Amino acid sequence: MTLTVWVDDWQMQCCGENFAPGDVVSWQLLVADPEEYADVVGGDLAAGIDFHEEHHGEGEGAPTALEVLTINEVHCRFEVPAGSAERVHHPVPGSTVLVPVEEADGWAQERPGVRFAGYLVTARRIADRP
């Protein structure tokens, strides 16, 4: 059985370790709330996100050993919502660009009109290996 895991750009940039398809990683997984990712990746993709990776002490439980199968960079536009009194940029729904990559290091090539937000990783628990 495969899992889809969200990995934040800032988590990787702060203290994440590079990973690639075929690598075995040990991640703290927290159950994902699809609503948190809907504006970034769209509702359909967000509904398929099982977990998000966390390595800054939030949550409980032992790390999970996973084999990385695929990695997609997620890019989207960020703007201040119309009529907002705050100058906080939010993801713009429908602006998602997915880029398949062979390695995740927390950084991504700049793309016109969008900003790197994180990774969607397809993985398999090591215990699920055939």
Side-chain angles (χ1 to χ4, degrees), residues 7-127:
V7 179
D8 285 304
D9 59 342
W10 69 268
Q11 293 255 16
M12 284 293 296
Q13 293 165 1
C14 169
C15 48
E17 295 182 20
N18 296 10
F19 60 91
D23 286 353
V24 174
V25 296
S26 181
W27 287 345
Q28 176 76 33
L29 298 178
L30 301 177
V31 174
D33 176 356
E35 288 184 24
E36 290 184 28
Y37 304 98
D39 288 348
V40 177
V41 300
D44 290 343
L45 280 177
I49 299 174
D50 302 297
F51 299 96
H52 66 95
E53 184 270 341
E54 172 63 54
H55 59 262
H56 286 94
E58 293 183 26
E60 296 182 17
T64 301
L66 302 167
E67 176 188 10
V68 175
L69 302 175
T70 65
I71 306 167
N72 279 287
E73 292 175 352
V74 177
H75 302 256
C76 68
R77 269 193 351 261
F78 286 81
E79 295 178 353
V80 175
S84 176
E86 298 179 7
R87 302 296 303 164
V88 177
H89 287 78
H90 293 274
V92 175
S95 66
T96 305
V97 175
L98 297 178
V99 180
V101 293
E102 290 300 317
E103 182 178 38
D105 64 2
W107 305 97
Q109 180 177 346
E110 288 189 35
R111 304 210 171 263
V114 292
R115 191 177 92 203
F116 176 53
Y119 298 101
L120 279 178
V121 178
T122 303
R124 177 176 34 236
R125 292 180 201 263
I126 294 300

